[in-house]
mmCIF file of all heavy atoms in Angstrom:
data_model
loop_
_atom_site.group_PDB
_atom_site.id
_atom_site.type_symbol
_atom_site.label_atom_id
_atom_site.label_comp_id
_atom_site.label_asym_id
_atom_site.label_seq_id
_atom_site.Cartn_x
_atom_site.Cartn_y
_atom_site.Cartn_z
ATOM 1 N N ARG A 261 87.938 -19.611 288.962
ATOM 2 C CA ARG A 261 87.663 -19.582 290.401
ATOM 3 C C ARG A 261 86.782 -18.399 290.793
ATOM 4 O O ARG A 261 86.912 -17.827 291.878
ATOM 5 C CB ARG A 261 88.958 -19.590 291.208
ATOM 6 C CG ARG A 261 89.771 -20.824 290.978
ATOM 7 C CD ARG A 261 90.986 -20.851 291.846
ATOM 8 N NE ARG A 261 91.797 -21.996 291.460
ATOM 9 C CZ ARG A 261 93.100 -21.953 291.395
ATOM 10 N NH1 ARG A 261 93.763 -20.859 291.710
ATOM 11 N NH2 ARG A 261 93.769 -23.010 291.037
ATOM 12 N N ARG A 262 85.926 -18.045 289.857
ATOM 13 C CA ARG A 262 84.941 -16.972 290.074
ATOM 14 C C ARG A 262 83.941 -17.058 288.929
ATOM 15 O O ARG A 262 84.228 -17.679 287.903
ATOM 16 C CB ARG A 262 85.615 -15.593 290.075
ATOM 17 C CG ARG A 262 86.282 -15.251 288.752
ATOM 18 C CD ARG A 262 86.696 -13.792 288.661
ATOM 19 N NE ARG A 262 87.477 -13.517 287.491
ATOM 20 C CZ ARG A 262 87.009 -13.371 286.252
ATOM 21 N NH1 ARG A 262 85.723 -13.502 286.012
ATOM 22 N NH2 ARG A 262 87.808 -13.099 285.244
ATOM 23 N N PRO A 263 82.772 -16.459 289.099
ATOM 24 C CA PRO A 263 81.819 -16.446 287.970
ATOM 25 C C PRO A 263 82.380 -15.632 286.797
ATOM 26 O O PRO A 263 83.121 -14.665 287.001
ATOM 27 C CB PRO A 263 80.582 -15.757 288.549
ATOM 28 C CG PRO A 263 80.733 -15.839 290.026
ATOM 29 C CD PRO A 263 82.217 -15.862 290.299
ATOM 30 N N LEU A 264 82.037 -16.050 285.610
ATOM 31 C CA LEU A 264 82.437 -15.283 284.428
ATOM 32 C C LEU A 264 81.716 -13.947 284.409
ATOM 33 O O LEU A 264 80.537 -13.857 284.768
ATOM 34 C CB LEU A 264 82.090 -16.043 283.151
ATOM 35 C CG LEU A 264 82.848 -17.338 282.881
ATOM 36 C CD1 LEU A 264 82.251 -18.030 281.662
ATOM 37 C CD2 LEU A 264 84.319 -17.074 282.672
ATOM 38 N N ARG A 265 82.426 -12.913 283.988
ATOM 39 C CA ARG A 265 81.776 -11.614 283.797
ATOM 40 C C ARG A 265 80.936 -11.688 282.521
ATOM 41 O O ARG A 265 81.219 -12.485 281.630
ATOM 42 C CB ARG A 265 82.832 -10.520 283.692
ATOM 43 C CG ARG A 265 83.574 -10.276 285.017
ATOM 44 C CD ARG A 265 84.457 -9.045 284.961
ATOM 45 N NE ARG A 265 85.464 -9.130 283.929
ATOM 46 C CZ ARG A 265 86.737 -9.489 284.137
ATOM 47 N NH1 ARG A 265 87.152 -9.764 285.349
ATOM 48 N NH2 ARG A 265 87.586 -9.547 283.148
ATOM 49 N N PRO A 266 79.891 -10.872 282.427
ATOM 50 C CA PRO A 266 79.022 -10.922 281.239
ATOM 51 C C PRO A 266 79.790 -10.771 279.919
ATOM 52 O O PRO A 266 79.496 -11.483 278.953
ATOM 53 C CB PRO A 266 78.053 -9.757 281.453
ATOM 54 C CG PRO A 266 78.001 -9.585 282.930
ATOM 55 C CD PRO A 266 79.384 -9.917 283.423
ATOM 56 N N GLU A 267 80.771 -9.885 279.886
ATOM 57 C CA GLU A 267 81.520 -9.689 278.634
ATOM 58 C C GLU A 267 82.391 -10.901 278.303
ATOM 59 O O GLU A 267 82.612 -11.211 277.130
ATOM 60 C CB GLU A 267 82.350 -8.401 278.667
ATOM 61 C CG GLU A 267 83.426 -8.351 279.728
ATOM 62 C CD GLU A 267 82.975 -7.828 281.083
ATOM 63 O OE1 GLU A 267 81.771 -7.671 281.327
ATOM 64 O OE2 GLU A 267 83.853 -7.590 281.915
ATOM 65 N N GLU A 268 82.864 -11.604 279.323
ATOM 66 C CA GLU A 268 83.635 -12.822 279.080
ATOM 67 C C GLU A 268 82.737 -13.900 278.491
ATOM 68 O O GLU A 268 83.119 -14.585 277.528
ATOM 69 C CB GLU A 268 84.272 -13.331 280.379
ATOM 70 C CG GLU A 268 85.354 -12.423 280.913
ATOM 71 C CD GLU A 268 85.790 -12.771 282.320
ATOM 72 O OE1 GLU A 268 84.979 -13.306 283.107
ATOM 73 O OE2 GLU A 268 86.957 -12.489 282.641
ATOM 74 N N LEU A 269 81.554 -14.051 279.059
ATOM 75 C CA LEU A 269 80.615 -15.051 278.561
ATOM 76 C C LEU A 269 80.183 -14.717 277.132
ATOM 77 O O LEU A 269 80.121 -15.609 276.276
ATOM 78 C CB LEU A 269 79.395 -15.145 279.477
ATOM 79 C CG LEU A 269 78.378 -16.201 279.100
ATOM 80 C CD1 LEU A 269 79.000 -17.595 279.085
ATOM 81 C CD2 LEU A 269 77.188 -16.146 280.032
ATOM 82 N N THR A 270 79.932 -13.465 276.855
ATOM 83 C CA THR A 270 79.549 -13.048 275.502
ATOM 84 C C THR A 270 80.641 -13.403 274.494
ATOM 85 O O THR A 270 80.370 -13.931 273.411
ATOM 86 C CB THR A 270 79.262 -11.535 275.468
ATOM 87 O OG1 THR A 270 78.178 -11.257 276.348
ATOM 88 C CG2 THR A 270 78.919 -11.058 274.066
ATOM 89 N N SER A 271 81.875 -13.140 274.869
ATOM 90 C CA SER A 271 83.009 -13.460 274.002
ATOM 91 C C SER A 271 83.117 -14.967 273.770
ATOM 92 O O SER A 271 83.336 -15.418 272.636
ATOM 93 C CB SER A 271 84.290 -12.924 274.632
ATOM 94 O OG SER A 271 85.405 -13.295 273.883
ATOM 95 N N LEU A 272 82.942 -15.747 274.814
ATOM 96 C CA LEU A 272 83.020 -17.203 274.686
ATOM 97 C C LEU A 272 81.880 -17.746 273.824
ATOM 98 O O LEU A 272 82.086 -18.663 273.023
ATOM 99 C CB LEU A 272 83.003 -17.854 276.071
ATOM 100 C CG LEU A 272 84.251 -17.614 276.912
ATOM 101 C CD1 LEU A 272 84.018 -18.069 278.343
ATOM 102 C CD2 LEU A 272 85.460 -18.301 276.307
ATOM 103 N N LEU A 273 80.704 -17.188 273.968
ATOM 104 C CA LEU A 273 79.577 -17.631 273.147
ATOM 105 C C LEU A 273 79.776 -17.260 271.683
ATOM 106 O O LEU A 273 79.354 -17.995 270.791
ATOM 107 C CB LEU A 273 78.260 -17.078 273.687
ATOM 108 C CG LEU A 273 77.805 -17.724 274.997
ATOM 109 C CD1 LEU A 273 76.620 -16.960 275.583
ATOM 110 C CD2 LEU A 273 77.459 -19.192 274.797
ATOM 111 N N SER A 274 80.434 -16.149 271.428
ATOM 112 C CA SER A 274 80.770 -15.786 270.047
ATOM 113 C C SER A 274 81.730 -16.805 269.455
ATOM 114 O O SER A 274 81.602 -17.195 268.288
ATOM 115 C CB SER A 274 81.393 -14.396 269.988
ATOM 116 O OG SER A 274 80.457 -13.419 270.325
ATOM 117 N N LEU A 275 82.697 -17.249 270.270
ATOM 118 C CA LEU A 275 83.625 -18.281 269.807
ATOM 119 C C LEU A 275 82.886 -19.598 269.552
ATOM 120 O O LEU A 275 83.206 -20.321 268.611
ATOM 121 C CB LEU A 275 84.738 -18.494 270.834
ATOM 122 C CG LEU A 275 85.774 -17.389 270.934
ATOM 123 C CD1 LEU A 275 86.704 -17.642 272.114
ATOM 124 C CD2 LEU A 275 86.562 -17.267 269.644
ATOM 125 N N PHE A 276 81.909 -19.906 270.391
ATOM 126 C CA PHE A 276 81.091 -21.109 270.186
ATOM 127 C C PHE A 276 80.393 -21.041 268.826
ATOM 128 O O PHE A 276 80.444 -21.993 268.037
ATOM 129 C CB PHE A 276 80.061 -21.261 271.307
ATOM 130 C CG PHE A 276 78.997 -22.270 271.006
ATOM 131 C CD1 PHE A 276 79.263 -23.622 271.078
ATOM 132 C CD2 PHE A 276 77.726 -21.863 270.634
ATOM 133 C CE1 PHE A 276 78.285 -24.565 270.779
ATOM 134 C CE2 PHE A 276 76.740 -22.792 270.341
ATOM 135 C CZ PHE A 276 77.021 -24.142 270.413
ATOM 136 N N GLU A 277 79.759 -19.923 268.540
ATOM 137 C CA GLU A 277 79.040 -19.768 267.274
ATOM 138 C C GLU A 277 79.995 -19.827 266.089
ATOM 139 O O GLU A 277 79.687 -20.422 265.057
ATOM 140 C CB GLU A 277 78.248 -18.465 267.278
ATOM 141 C CG GLU A 277 77.086 -18.511 268.252
ATOM 142 C CD GLU A 277 76.415 -17.163 268.458
ATOM 143 O OE1 GLU A 277 76.919 -16.151 267.938
ATOM 144 O OE2 GLU A 277 75.390 -17.147 269.153
ATOM 145 N N GLN A 278 81.172 -19.232 266.249
ATOM 146 C CA GLN A 278 82.170 -19.267 265.180
ATOM 147 C C GLN A 278 82.636 -20.696 264.925
ATOM 148 O O GLN A 278 82.694 -21.147 263.780
ATOM 149 C CB GLN A 278 83.369 -18.393 265.554
ATOM 150 C CG GLN A 278 84.487 -18.425 264.538
ATOM 151 C CD GLN A 278 85.712 -17.666 265.004
ATOM 152 O OE1 GLN A 278 85.660 -16.890 265.943
ATOM 153 N NE2 GLN A 278 86.831 -17.909 264.352
ATOM 154 N N GLY A 279 82.951 -21.409 265.995
ATOM 155 C CA GLY A 279 83.409 -22.787 265.846
ATOM 156 C C GLY A 279 82.360 -23.682 265.230
ATOM 157 O O GLY A 279 82.655 -24.540 264.386
ATOM 158 N N GLN A 280 81.117 -23.483 265.620
ATOM 159 C CA GLN A 280 80.031 -24.288 265.080
ATOM 160 C C GLN A 280 79.801 -23.970 263.606
ATOM 161 O O GLN A 280 79.574 -24.867 262.804
ATOM 162 C CB GLN A 280 78.762 -24.042 265.893
ATOM 163 C CG GLN A 280 77.705 -25.089 265.686
ATOM 164 C CD GLN A 280 76.517 -24.898 266.599
ATOM 165 O OE1 GLN A 280 76.221 -23.782 267.017
ATOM 166 N NE2 GLN A 280 75.832 -25.961 266.893
ATOM 167 N N SER A 281 79.898 -22.710 263.242
ATOM 168 C CA SER A 281 79.663 -22.333 261.843
ATOM 169 C C SER A 281 80.808 -22.782 260.935
ATOM 170 O O SER A 281 80.592 -23.033 259.750
ATOM 171 C CB SER A 281 79.451 -20.826 261.715
ATOM 172 O OG SER A 281 80.652 -20.128 261.958
ATOM 173 N N GLU A 282 82.017 -22.908 261.477
ATOM 174 C CA GLU A 282 83.159 -23.346 260.671
ATOM 175 C C GLU A 282 83.155 -24.856 260.438
ATOM 176 O O GLU A 282 83.826 -25.337 259.528
ATOM 177 C CB GLU A 282 84.468 -22.932 261.339
ATOM 178 C CG GLU A 282 84.709 -21.442 261.295
ATOM 179 C CD GLU A 282 85.952 -21.014 262.045
ATOM 180 O OE1 GLU A 282 86.609 -21.860 262.692
ATOM 181 O OE2 GLU A 282 86.263 -19.809 262.003
ATOM 182 N N ASP A 283 82.424 -25.593 261.241
ATOM 183 C CA ASP A 283 82.335 -27.039 261.082
ATOM 184 C C ASP A 283 81.372 -27.366 259.948
ATOM 185 O O ASP A 283 80.301 -26.765 259.841
ATOM 186 C CB ASP A 283 81.851 -27.672 262.400
ATOM 187 C CG ASP A 283 81.808 -29.177 262.331
ATOM 188 O OD1 ASP A 283 82.897 -29.784 262.215
ATOM 189 O OD2 ASP A 283 80.705 -29.741 262.375
ATOM 190 N N GLU A 284 81.736 -28.310 259.105
ATOM 191 C CA GLU A 284 80.890 -28.675 257.961
ATOM 192 C C GLU A 284 79.479 -29.065 258.379
ATOM 193 O O GLU A 284 78.509 -28.744 257.704
ATOM 194 C CB GLU A 284 81.507 -29.856 257.201
ATOM 195 C CG GLU A 284 82.689 -29.502 256.354
ATOM 196 C CD GLU A 284 83.232 -30.725 255.620
ATOM 197 O OE1 GLU A 284 82.586 -31.786 255.632
ATOM 198 O OE2 GLU A 284 84.309 -30.596 255.031
ATOM 199 N N LEU A 285 79.377 -29.778 259.488
ATOM 200 C CA LEU A 285 78.074 -30.265 259.938
ATOM 201 C C LEU A 285 77.451 -29.391 261.015
ATOM 202 O O LEU A 285 76.355 -29.667 261.486
ATOM 203 C CB LEU A 285 78.213 -31.707 260.456
ATOM 204 C CG LEU A 285 78.772 -32.715 259.463
ATOM 205 C CD1 LEU A 285 78.982 -34.063 260.132
ATOM 206 C CD2 LEU A 285 77.854 -32.843 258.259
ATOM 207 N N GLY A 286 78.159 -28.337 261.425
ATOM 208 C CA GLY A 286 77.642 -27.459 262.465
ATOM 209 C C GLY A 286 77.451 -28.160 263.798
ATOM 210 O O GLY A 286 76.514 -27.881 264.526
ATOM 211 N N ARG A 287 78.371 -29.071 264.111
ATOM 212 C CA ARG A 287 78.246 -29.878 265.324
ATOM 213 C C ARG A 287 78.431 -29.056 266.598
ATOM 214 O O ARG A 287 79.210 -28.119 266.646
ATOM 215 C CB ARG A 287 79.259 -31.017 265.315
ATOM 216 C CG ARG A 287 79.028 -32.027 264.210
ATOM 217 C CD ARG A 287 80.134 -33.026 264.144
ATOM 218 N NE ARG A 287 81.399 -32.286 263.975
ATOM 219 C CZ ARG A 287 82.586 -32.821 264.170
ATOM 220 N NH1 ARG A 287 82.709 -34.063 264.537
ATOM 221 N NH2 ARG A 287 83.671 -32.108 263.984
ATOM 222 N N PHE A 288 77.691 -29.457 267.607
ATOM 223 C CA PHE A 288 77.747 -28.810 268.920
ATOM 224 C C PHE A 288 79.138 -28.901 269.520
ATOM 225 O O PHE A 288 79.692 -27.911 270.006
ATOM 226 C CB PHE A 288 76.711 -29.465 269.842
ATOM 227 C CG PHE A 288 76.663 -28.865 271.208
ATOM 228 C CD1 PHE A 288 76.026 -27.657 271.432
ATOM 229 C CD2 PHE A 288 77.261 -29.513 272.274
ATOM 230 C CE1 PHE A 288 75.979 -27.100 272.699
ATOM 231 C CE2 PHE A 288 77.213 -28.969 273.549
ATOM 232 C CZ PHE A 288 76.574 -27.759 273.757
ATOM 233 N N ASP A 289 79.736 -30.077 269.470
ATOM 234 C CA ASP A 289 81.060 -30.262 270.062
ATOM 235 C C ASP A 289 82.128 -29.447 269.336
ATOM 236 O O ASP A 289 83.066 -28.947 269.959
ATOM 237 C CB ASP A 289 81.446 -31.738 270.130
ATOM 238 C CG ASP A 289 81.469 -32.419 268.772
ATOM 239 O OD1 ASP A 289 80.621 -32.108 267.925
ATOM 240 O OD2 ASP A 289 82.346 -33.282 268.570
ATOM 241 N N ALA A 290 81.969 -29.270 268.055
ATOM 242 C CA ALA A 290 82.910 -28.435 267.302
ATOM 243 C C ALA A 290 82.796 -26.975 267.746
ATOM 244 O O ALA A 290 83.794 -26.255 267.811
ATOM 245 C CB ALA A 290 82.651 -28.549 265.805
ATOM 246 N N GLY A 291 81.587 -26.559 268.081
ATOM 247 C CA GLY A 291 81.385 -25.197 268.568
ATOM 248 C C GLY A 291 82.042 -24.958 269.909
ATOM 249 O O GLY A 291 82.525 -23.862 270.184
ATOM 250 N N LEU A 292 82.083 -25.972 270.748
ATOM 251 C CA LEU A 292 82.681 -25.812 272.082
ATOM 252 C C LEU A 292 84.215 -25.787 272.062
ATOM 253 O O LEU A 292 84.829 -25.313 273.008
ATOM 254 C CB LEU A 292 82.206 -26.923 273.014
ATOM 255 C CG LEU A 292 80.790 -26.780 273.542
ATOM 256 C CD1 LEU A 292 80.428 -27.998 274.382
ATOM 257 C CD2 LEU A 292 80.641 -25.519 274.368
ATOM 258 N N ARG A 293 84.809 -26.287 271.006
ATOM 259 C CA ARG A 293 86.267 -26.385 270.951
ATOM 260 C C ARG A 293 86.962 -25.033 271.174
ATOM 261 O O ARG A 293 87.846 -24.915 272.014
ATOM 262 C CB ARG A 293 86.704 -26.996 269.620
ATOM 263 C CG ARG A 293 88.176 -27.345 269.594
ATOM 264 C CD ARG A 293 88.570 -27.938 268.238
ATOM 265 N NE ARG A 293 89.661 -27.158 267.727
ATOM 266 C CZ ARG A 293 89.590 -26.189 266.832
ATOM 267 N NH1 ARG A 293 88.459 -25.874 266.293
ATOM 268 N NH2 ARG A 293 90.648 -25.521 266.453
ATOM 269 N N LEU A 294 86.569 -24.012 270.430
ATOM 270 C CA LEU A 294 87.228 -22.704 270.527
ATOM 271 C C LEU A 294 87.066 -22.041 271.899
ATOM 272 O O LEU A 294 88.048 -21.574 272.480
ATOM 273 C CB LEU A 294 86.744 -21.767 269.421
ATOM 274 C CG LEU A 294 87.211 -22.085 268.004
ATOM 275 C CD1 LEU A 294 86.556 -21.131 267.001
ATOM 276 C CD2 LEU A 294 88.719 -21.998 267.907
ATOM 277 N N PRO A 295 85.857 -21.967 272.451
ATOM 278 C CA PRO A 295 85.751 -21.326 273.761
ATOM 279 C C PRO A 295 86.460 -22.115 274.868
ATOM 280 O O PRO A 295 87.021 -21.506 275.791
ATOM 281 C CB PRO A 295 84.244 -21.228 274.018
ATOM 282 C CG PRO A 295 83.609 -22.169 273.081
ATOM 283 C CD PRO A 295 84.532 -22.283 271.910
ATOM 284 N N LEU A 296 86.479 -23.433 274.769
ATOM 285 C CA LEU A 296 87.196 -24.211 275.772
ATOM 286 C C LEU A 296 88.697 -23.979 275.673
ATOM 287 O O LEU A 296 89.393 -23.866 276.690
ATOM 288 C CB LEU A 296 86.870 -25.704 275.641
ATOM 289 C CG LEU A 296 85.446 -26.088 276.041
ATOM 290 C CD1 LEU A 296 85.213 -27.570 275.795
ATOM 291 C CD2 LEU A 296 85.164 -25.729 277.481
ATOM 292 N N GLU A 297 89.206 -23.887 274.448
ATOM 293 C CA GLU A 297 90.624 -23.549 274.269
ATOM 294 C C GLU A 297 90.927 -22.184 274.874
ATOM 295 O O GLU A 297 91.937 -22.000 275.549
ATOM 296 C CB GLU A 297 91.003 -23.547 272.794
ATOM 297 C CG GLU A 297 91.147 -24.908 272.194
ATOM 298 C CD GLU A 297 91.482 -24.874 270.715
ATOM 299 O OE1 GLU A 297 91.740 -23.773 270.157
ATOM 300 O OE2 GLU A 297 91.490 -25.953 270.101
ATOM 301 N N ALA A 298 90.040 -21.221 274.633
ATOM 302 C CA ALA A 298 90.232 -19.870 275.168
ATOM 303 C C ALA A 298 90.256 -19.886 276.695
ATOM 304 O O ALA A 298 91.090 -19.217 277.322
ATOM 305 C CB ALA A 298 89.151 -18.931 274.661
ATOM 306 N N LEU A 299 89.360 -20.639 277.306
ATOM 307 C CA LEU A 299 89.331 -20.724 278.774
ATOM 308 C C LEU A 299 90.602 -21.363 279.313
ATOM 309 O O LEU A 299 91.184 -20.906 280.300
ATOM 310 C CB LEU A 299 88.120 -21.542 279.235
ATOM 311 C CG LEU A 299 86.771 -20.845 279.196
ATOM 312 C CD1 LEU A 299 85.643 -21.846 279.392
ATOM 313 C CD2 LEU A 299 86.706 -19.760 280.266
ATOM 314 N N LEU A 300 91.056 -22.432 278.660
ATOM 315 C CA LEU A 300 92.231 -23.144 279.147
ATOM 316 C C LEU A 300 93.528 -22.364 278.948
ATOM 317 O O LEU A 300 94.465 -22.511 279.725
ATOM 318 C CB LEU A 300 92.328 -24.509 278.458
ATOM 319 C CG LEU A 300 91.256 -25.506 278.872
ATOM 320 C CD1 LEU A 300 91.267 -26.716 277.944
ATOM 321 C CD2 LEU A 300 91.448 -25.934 280.320
ATOM 322 N N LEU A 301 93.557 -21.518 277.940
ATOM 323 C CA LEU A 301 94.773 -20.747 277.652
ATOM 324 C C LEU A 301 94.795 -19.388 278.348
ATOM 325 O O LEU A 301 95.823 -18.711 278.364
ATOM 326 C CB LEU A 301 94.924 -20.543 276.148
ATOM 327 C CG LEU A 301 95.205 -21.831 275.360
ATOM 328 C CD1 LEU A 301 95.135 -21.561 273.867
ATOM 329 C CD2 LEU A 301 96.531 -22.424 275.744
ATOM 330 N N SER A 302 93.693 -19.012 278.940
ATOM 331 C CA SER A 302 93.599 -17.709 279.593
ATOM 332 C C SER A 302 94.485 -17.642 280.841
ATOM 333 O O SER A 302 94.607 -18.616 281.577
ATOM 334 C CB SER A 302 92.154 -17.447 279.998
ATOM 335 O OG SER A 302 92.071 -16.269 280.774
ATOM 336 N N PRO A 303 95.101 -16.496 281.091
ATOM 337 C CA PRO A 303 95.920 -16.355 282.294
ATOM 338 C C PRO A 303 95.107 -16.178 283.582
ATOM 339 O O PRO A 303 95.666 -16.146 284.659
ATOM 340 C CB PRO A 303 96.733 -15.084 282.016
ATOM 341 C CG PRO A 303 95.879 -14.295 281.091
ATOM 342 C CD PRO A 303 95.145 -15.313 280.251
#
Side-chain angles (χ1 to χ4, degrees):
R261 298 184 186 140
R262 62 168 172 78
L264 293 173
R265 291 189 301 262
E267 63 272 11
E268 292 169 331
L269 183 59
T270 299
S271 176
L272 291 169
L273 288 170
S274 293
L275 288 172
F276 167 75
E277 291 170 354
Q278 177 186 345
Q280 197 174 27
S281 70
E282 290 176 355
D283 183 66
E284 285 181 10
L285 302 175
R287 295 173 304 165
F288 181 77
D289 59 323
L292 284 176
R293 190 181 125 261
L294 289 175
L296 290 177
E297 285 178 7
L299 283 168
L300 290 169
L301 293 172
S302 173

